[in-house]
């Protein structure tokens, strides 16, 4: 037997795997989860034995509406951050639209409060809490989960789903900017800092930028461990909102007359309403975050949202009505007339309380931003599953798959948020752009919900639901369009850009799939067998590994087959077609192999848990060793040194196949543009070479034509070759004829 010429392990380390399928930390974590499940099962059994009340309590803690104190606290931090920061800027934007505090009389204040109360009641409580959250896809909510539930009812549903998702992602950019900047601006209202901020106009902007950069930089660490901390802070925040509101209501409890919707309708169409219909765009700010209730349902459970929402709504109403009472009490206050961008939220507190308010509001703003960032990650992941966005590198920093981190999206969100701050600079101008795209999300969600109600609950209910909520939300959209030139253009531009990515990726994927072909064993085995035994052709590599997205084990992608035979045939001791699947369990590590009755062709499917590092080279070495030990793979002793320092496995060459459109392809202009844009997006999104740790092994990236039917150009006409003297004589005769004609 040949001996290796160099003990390469002395100089390098092979990509090896442990003999154990779980690490010590993973075994402890799984044991902890099992103990928790056992305790829960024991409690349920005890409750069931206590009669009807116990059985009801057991159902409450085991069904989709189960409530647990721990998850209820987490729900506060995950779900309500965005809607909890709305009181920071809603009344401020209202005053700005009415021309200042001096121009707001009792009719204006009661009208605004009435519209806010009924908007929160109709949109957030009735539409989302009572209706939308009863329509879930295996416990998951959100516009993409809803689309997956009803997609079979029509291909046209793709458009509202894409549009709504794009708008949600666009507003996810503005949420950190408006929430944190409005909170930081509260520092201006503290007497101790007034002179500092007066002398440094950009100080609030600089502080906001620092907070946002830090926020995005810690995303890779995950938020599961601080979830309960977030929830506790948000609980304190909403308690503070309620307390401050009640303190100011002591001056004028009569503002609760605004619970009568007539005040809102009367003022909206009144000549005293300086903002006109655009007032509804301001009122809409109080409902931002309603979509998050539905989107985050899968993370915290429907029952925990039901349990916590009454507390949230009461706290919000007390605060809004407290701000209204303060505005009525200080309408004629001369000291407030010269304050720029007057914010009733901070002004209604004493200076000492404002210190607490600023700290809590900044923290609440960070938590709100965190919720939207996490929601954006989830939304992109769901869009990827629908093949509406490119496959990106996804990391799971927490123990649950719901907590994920996408580096590319994190970087894009951070840069875009900083661009928003650079363009608009303060919360008053950012709020002009905020909310416009979210009205589109709400409208499209209403359409999708109506389709589900039509097919599952009754046509009459669907019609009533559609008419009522579309009328309200279209009014919001028209009112928000008044903000278009003041900043809404940016949100709409961002929405269209995201929508364009989704449309082109979806169209390009459909075209590629229409061209995808697979081969059965009887078609590819004869040719591969002949090449494997053809000793006239030198080995390209001992092992050639192709990564494929096809998980079917009994067939072979034609792209792989033609890659083997393209140009100079790639002869190998063994060819490998490998697919990688990510499971919903955290620590799955398993594989299966199909060898088609050969010793040279292996179809491998690797299944890895979402918490498992996708170290494909290490796992492939293990699989090759396993098959070598069972005799399925002939021995491959390597004599010469190689970088992986594994003398028992021959050299491995990884091949990735990319598709390219041929110039003469018979395809529409839109189809060609979609494919070109898809390939450009894929190039910018990153490569599996990096995700799977293949870069050190010098993988081959191969481009193959996309097999679309081509146009046949007309045939060429062959002409005889003539001497130069004959050609020059013909030219002279032609010139003389032209001169005579002139």
């Amino acid at each position: 037997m040949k001996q290796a010429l160099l003990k390469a392990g002395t100089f390098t380390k092979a990509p090896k795997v442990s003999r154990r399928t779980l690490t010590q930390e993973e075994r402890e974590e799984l044991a902890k989860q099992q103990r928790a499940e056992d305790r829960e099962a024991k409690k349920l059994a005890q409750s069931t034995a206590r009669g009807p009340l116990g059985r009801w309590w057991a159902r409450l803690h085991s069904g989709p509406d189960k409530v647990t104190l721990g998850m209820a606290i987490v729900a506060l931090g995950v779900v309500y951050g965005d809607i909890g920061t709305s009181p920071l800027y809603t009344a401020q934007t209202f005053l700005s639209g009415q021309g200042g505090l001096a121009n707001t009389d009792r009719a204006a204040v009661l009208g605004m409060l009435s519209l806010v109360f009924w908007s929160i009641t109709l949109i957030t409580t009735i539409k989302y809490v009572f209706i939308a959250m009863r329509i879930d896809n295996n416990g998951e909510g959100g516009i993409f989960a809803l689309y997956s539930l009803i997609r079979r009812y029509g291909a046209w549903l793709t458009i509202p789903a894409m549009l709504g998702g794009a708008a949600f992602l666009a507003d996810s950019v503005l949420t950190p900017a408006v929430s944190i900047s409005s909170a930081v601006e509260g520092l201006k209202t503290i007497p101790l800092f007034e002179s500092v901020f007066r002398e440094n106009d950009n100080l609030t902007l600089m502080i906001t930028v620092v907070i946002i950069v830090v926020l995005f930089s810690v995303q890779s660490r995950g938020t599961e461990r601080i979830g309960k901390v977030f929830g506790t802070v948000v609980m304190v925040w909403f308690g503070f909102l309620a307390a401050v509101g009640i303190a100011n209501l002591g001056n004028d409890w009569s503002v609760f007359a605004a619970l009568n919707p007539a005040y809102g309708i009367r003022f909206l169409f009144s000549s005293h309403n300086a903002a006109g219909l655009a007032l509804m765009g301001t009122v809409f700010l109080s409902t931002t975050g309603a979509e998050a209730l539905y989107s985050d349902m899968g993370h915290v459970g429907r029952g925990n949202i039901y349990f916590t929402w009454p507390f949230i709504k009461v706290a919000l109403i007390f605060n809004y009505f407290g701000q209204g009472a303060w505005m009525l009490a200080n309408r004629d206050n001369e000291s407030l007339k010269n304050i720029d961008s007057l914010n009733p939220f901070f002004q209604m507190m004493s200076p000492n309380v404002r210190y607490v308010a600023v700290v809590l509001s900044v923290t609440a703003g960070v938590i709100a931003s965190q919720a939207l960032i996490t929601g954006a990650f989830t939304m992109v992941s769901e869009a990827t599953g629908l093949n509406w966005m490119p496959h990106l590198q996804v990391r799971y920093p927490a123990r649950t798959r719901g907590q994920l981190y996408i580096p590319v999206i994190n970087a894009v969100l951070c840069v875009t948020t900083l661009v928003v701050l650079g363009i608009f600079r303060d919360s008053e101008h950012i709020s002009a752009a905020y909310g416009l795209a979210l009205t589109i999300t709400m409208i499209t969600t209403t359409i999708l919900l109506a389709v589900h109600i039509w097919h599952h609950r009754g046509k009459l209910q669907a019609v009533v639901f559609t008419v009522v909520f579309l009328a309200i939300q279209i009014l919001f959209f028209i009112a928000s369009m008044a903000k278009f030139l003041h900043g809404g253009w940016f949100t709409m531009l961002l929405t269209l850009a995201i929508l364009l990515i989704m449309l082109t990726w979806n169209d390009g994927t459909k075209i590629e799939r229409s061209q995808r072909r697979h081969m059965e064993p009887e078609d590819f085995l004869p040719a591969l067998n002949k090449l494997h035994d053809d000793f006239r052709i030198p080995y390209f590599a001992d092992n050639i590994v192709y990564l494929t997205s096809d998980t079917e084990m009994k067939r072979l992608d034609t792209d792989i087959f033609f890659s083997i035979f393209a140009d100079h045939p790639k002869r190998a001791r063994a060819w490998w077609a490998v697919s990688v699947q990510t499971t919903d369990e955290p620590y799955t590590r398993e594989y299966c192999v199909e060898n088609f009755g050969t010793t040279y062709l292996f179809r491998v499917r690797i299944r890895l848990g979402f918490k498992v590092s996708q170290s494909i080279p290490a796992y492939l070495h293990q699989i090759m060793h396993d098959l070598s030990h069972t005799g399925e793979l002939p021995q491959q002793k390597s004599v010469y040194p190689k970088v992986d320092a594994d003398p028992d496995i021959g050299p491995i060459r990884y091949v990735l196949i990319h598709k390219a459109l041929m110039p003469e392809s018979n395809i529409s202009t839109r189809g060609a543009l979609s494919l070109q844009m898809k390939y450009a997006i894929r190039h910018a999104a990153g490569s599996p070479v990096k995700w799977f740790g293949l870069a050190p092994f010098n993988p081959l990236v191969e481009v193959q034509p996309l097999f679309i039917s081509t146009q046949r150009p007309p045939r060429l006409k062959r002409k005889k070759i003539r001497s130069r003297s004959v050609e020059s004589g013909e030219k002279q005769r032609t010139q003389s004829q032209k001169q005579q004609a002139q």
Side-chain angles (χ1 to χ4, degrees):
M1 184 180 292
K2 295 180 180 179
Q3 298 294 323
L5 298 177
L6 176 70
K7 292 184 178 180
T10 308
F11 303 96
T12 184
K13 291 183 178 180
K16 297 180 181 178
V17 296
S18 170
R19 294 190 178 187
R20 297 178 176 178
T21 57
L22 292 172
T23 66
Q24 179 66 26
E25 180 184 356
E26 291 170 355
R27 287 196 297 272
E28 292 175 355
E29 181 60 37
L30 290 175
K32 181 180 178 181
Q33 291 180 8
Q34 186 61 49
R35 288 194 297 270
E37 291 175 3
D38 292 343
R39 287 196 301 269
E40 189 69 22
K42 186 177 180 181
K43 288 181 180 179
L44 290 175
Q46 292 174 348
S47 299
T48 305
R50 293 174 182 171
L53 185 61
R55 286 192 291 272
W56 170 81
W57 185 254
R59 286 196 302 271
L60 185 64
H61 283 74
S62 60
D65 296 337
K66 69 177 181 180
V67 179
T68 61
L69 181 60
M71 285 306 297
I73 294 175
V74 172
L76 290 172
V78 172
V79 176
Y80 301 114
D82 190 14
I83 200 169
T85 56
S86 297
L88 290 173
Y89 44 78
T90 300
Q92 179 187 25
T93 308
F94 164 72
L95 288 181
S96 178
Q98 297 299 321
L101 183 62
N103 296 323
T104 53
D105 56 11
R106 183 176 179 83
V109 172
L110 292 184
M112 185 272 291
L113 293 177
S114 179
L115 292 172
V116 165
F117 173 81
W118 285 104
S119 295
I120 294 175
T121 300
L122 291 173
I123 301 299
T124 311
T125 305
I126 296 179
K127 177 190 170 183
Y128 282 100
V129 176
F130 288 165
I131 299 177
M133 287 177 56
R134 304 303 304 181
I135 302 173
D136 64 282
N137 188 358
N138 295 320
E140 294 292 332
I143 192 167
F144 287 158
L146 176 59
Y147 166 75
S148 299
L149 197 63
I150 63 171
R151 60 194 301 181
R152 64 184 181 274
Y153 297 126
W156 66 273
L157 295 170
T158 302
I159 299 302
M162 281 187 179
L163 183 59
F168 181 86
L169 288 172
D171 254 12
S172 296
V173 171
L174 273 76
T175 295
V178 71
S179 298
I180 296 176
S181 62
S182 60
V184 171
E185 286 166 8
L187 292 170
K188 293 181 178 180
T189 66
I190 297 176
L192 182 63
F193 302 139
E194 282 183 356
S195 59
V196 177
F197 283 95
R198 194 181 304 115
E199 296 172 1
N200 301 274
D201 293 337
N202 295 323
L203 186 56
T204 55
L205 178 63
M206 293 168 61
I207 295 173
T208 304
V209 167
V210 169
I211 293 174
I212 286 176
V213 170
V214 171
L215 174 64
F216 280 101
S217 65
V218 300
Q219 290 303 308
S220 60
R221 300 178 181 273
T223 58
E224 185 186 39
R225 294 182 179 179
I226 55 176
K228 290 187 178 180
V229 176
F230 274 8
T232 304
V233 172
V234 171
M235 183 168 60
V236 172
W237 168 248
F238 276 99
F240 178 80
L241 290 180
V244 171
I246 292 172
N248 283 272
L249 280 169
N251 299 326
D252 190 0
W253 287 88
S254 67
V255 292
F256 277 99
L259 296 179
N260 183 349
Y263 283 95
I265 297 172
R266 191 182 304 128
F267 177 68
L268 179 62
F269 298 102
S270 168
S271 59
H272 298 295
N273 176 15
L277 196 60
L279 174 66
M280 292 301 292
T282 298
V283 171
F284 179 75
L285 295 176
S286 65
T287 66
T288 57
E291 190 74 27
L293 270 72
Y294 189 36
S295 299
D296 292 326
M297 181 171 63
H299 296 310
V300 299
R302 182 167 57 205
N304 293 304
I305 297 178
Y306 285 156
F307 179 71
T308 52
W309 172 244
F311 164 66
I312 299 300
K313 183 177 180 181
V314 169
L316 288 172
I317 297 305
F318 273 135
N319 192 266
Y320 281 121
F321 278 67
Q323 291 187 50
W326 179 88
M327 285 187 279
L328 291 178
N330 291 272
R331 182 189 173 198
D332 299 323
N333 192 333
E334 296 292 332
S335 63
L336 300 174
K337 290 185 177 180
N338 297 324
I339 297 178
D340 295 330
S341 302
L342 180 70
N343 191 336
F345 177 80
F346 290 107
Q347 292 294 337
M348 70 177 179
M349 307 172 199
S350 64
N352 291 331
V353 178
R354 287 177 199 168
Y355 289 99
V356 179
V358 170
V359 173
L360 284 176
S361 61
V362 170
T363 307
V366 169
I367 294 172
S369 304
Q370 177 61 59
L372 265 293
I373 294 168
T374 303
F377 292 156
T378 303
M379 187 77 72
V380 170
S381 178
E382 291 174 347
T384 300
L386 293 167
N387 279 303
W388 291 351
M389 279 194 172
H391 288 267
L392 301 168
Q393 184 181 24
V394 180
R395 300 176 188 171
Y396 299 89
R399 292 171 295 176
T400 59
R401 193 171 184 183
Q403 285 278 327
L404 49 83
Y405 167 68
I406 306 177
V408 172
I409 300 302
N410 188 65
V412 171
L413 286 176
C414 181
V415 171
T416 314
T417 303
L418 293 177
V419 169
V420 169
L421 286 171
I423 294 175
F424 300 105
R425 305 189 72 80
D426 58 50
S427 63
E428 183 178 355
H429 292 91
I430 297 173
S431 63
Y434 188 54
L436 176 57
L438 201 56
T439 60
I440 299 175
T441 303
M442 288 190 173
I443 290 172
T444 53
T445 302
T446 299
I447 294 171
L448 298 182
L449 287 171
V451 171
H452 185 278
I453 295 171
W454 178 280
H455 289 280
H456 291 84
R457 298 188 183 180
K459 297 180 179 180
L460 179 61
Q461 293 183 46
V463 170
V464 173
F465 174 83
T466 305
V467 170
V468 172
F469 288 102
L470 272 188
I472 297 172
Q473 289 162 359
I474 289 174
L475 182 62
F476 280 142
F477 176 74
I478 295 172
S480 297
M481 282 300 292
K483 303 177 179 180
F484 186 81
L485 295 178
H486 300 283
W489 59 268
F490 182 87
T491 319
M492 296 299 288
L493 191 64
L494 196 56
T495 300
L496 291 175
I498 298 170
L499 180 62
L500 182 62
I501 291 173
M502 290 185 180
L503 286 171
T504 54
W505 194 269
N506 183 50
D507 289 347
T509 300
K510 286 181 178 179
I511 295 171
E512 285 185 334
R513 285 184 172 180
S514 69
Q515 304 301 308
R516 182 178 292 174
R517 299 291 183 269
H518 299 95
M519 303 177 71
E520 299 302 321
E522 60 268 20
D523 298 319
F524 59 75
L525 283 179
L528 290 175
N529 185 59
K530 184 175 181 179
L531 176 60
H532 181 262
D533 296 335
D534 192 345
F535 296 100
R536 298 172 302 169
I537 301 175
Y539 284 123
F540 182 80
D542 283 3
N543 299 278
I544 302 177
V545 178
Y546 289 92
L547 296 181
T548 175
S549 59
D550 182 26
T551 57
E552 177 57 49
M553 300 291 287
K554 297 293 185 179
R555 65 189 186 188
L556 188 68
D557 199 313
T558 54
D559 292 341
I560 297 176
F561 181 83
F562 286 112
S563 171
I564 293 173
F565 288 96
D567 301 327
H568 186 76
K570 300 181 181 70
R571 183 167 173 251
R573 296 183 188 275
W575 295 281
W576 305 78
V578 180
S579 62
V580 181
Q581 286 183 308
T582 302
T583 69
D584 291 331
E585 298 297 324
Y587 304 123
T588 304
R589 290 181 179 89
E590 59 190 31
Y591 73 93
C592 54
V593 178
E594 169 62 54
N595 60 17
F596 302 100
T598 73
T599 59
Y600 55 80
L601 179 62
F602 299 93
R603 187 70 177 80
V604 180
R605 181 170 62 207
I606 302 174
R607 300 181 75 247
L608 300 175
F610 63 83
K611 285 285 288 178
V612 175
S613 174
Q614 296 187 339
S615 304
I616 300 306
Y619 289 123
L620 274 178
H621 270 78
Q622 178 212 327
I623 294 170
M624 290 177 181
H625 276 284
D626 290 349
L627 297 181
S628 181
H629 291 157
T630 61
E632 297 170 81
L633 177 69
Q635 287 192 350
Q636 300 178 355
K637 289 293 182 180
S638 180
V639 176
Y640 295 102
K642 28 192 208 77
V643 70
D644 62 18
D646 191 345
D648 296 324
I649 297 296
I652 302 173
R653 192 69 191 272
Y654 295 91
V655 181
L656 281 80
I657 300 174
H658 288 174
K659 307 296 285 186
L661 188 66
M662 295 178 290
E664 64 273 17
S665 296
N666 187 16
I667 188 173
S668 66
T669 303
R670 176 185 171 182
L673 181 61
S674 296
L675 284 171
Q676 291 168 359
M677 291 187 65
K678 176 177 180 176
Y679 297 149
I681 294 167
R682 182 178 62 191
H683 178 74
S687 169
V689 170
K690 179 180 178 182
W691 309 341
F692 295 134
L694 305 181
F697 299 93
N698 192 28
L700 173 64
V701 179
E702 190 173 276
V703 179
Q704 287 190 13
L706 190 63
F707 292 103
I708 295 178
S709 59
T710 56
Q711 299 174 344
R712 294 187 177 185
R715 294 175 63 87
L716 295 174
K717 181 180 180 181
R718 181 174 179 177
K719 299 185 69 176
K720 293 183 178 180
I721 300 176
R722 291 177 293 181
S723 63
R724 293 184 179 179
S725 59
V726 174
E727 290 180 354
S728 61
E730 289 182 353
K731 288 182 180 179
Q732 290 177 358
R733 284 195 298 271
T734 303
Q735 291 176 357
S736 62
Q737 290 174 357
K738 288 182 178 180
Q739 291 175 356
Q740 291 174 2
Q742 292 175 354

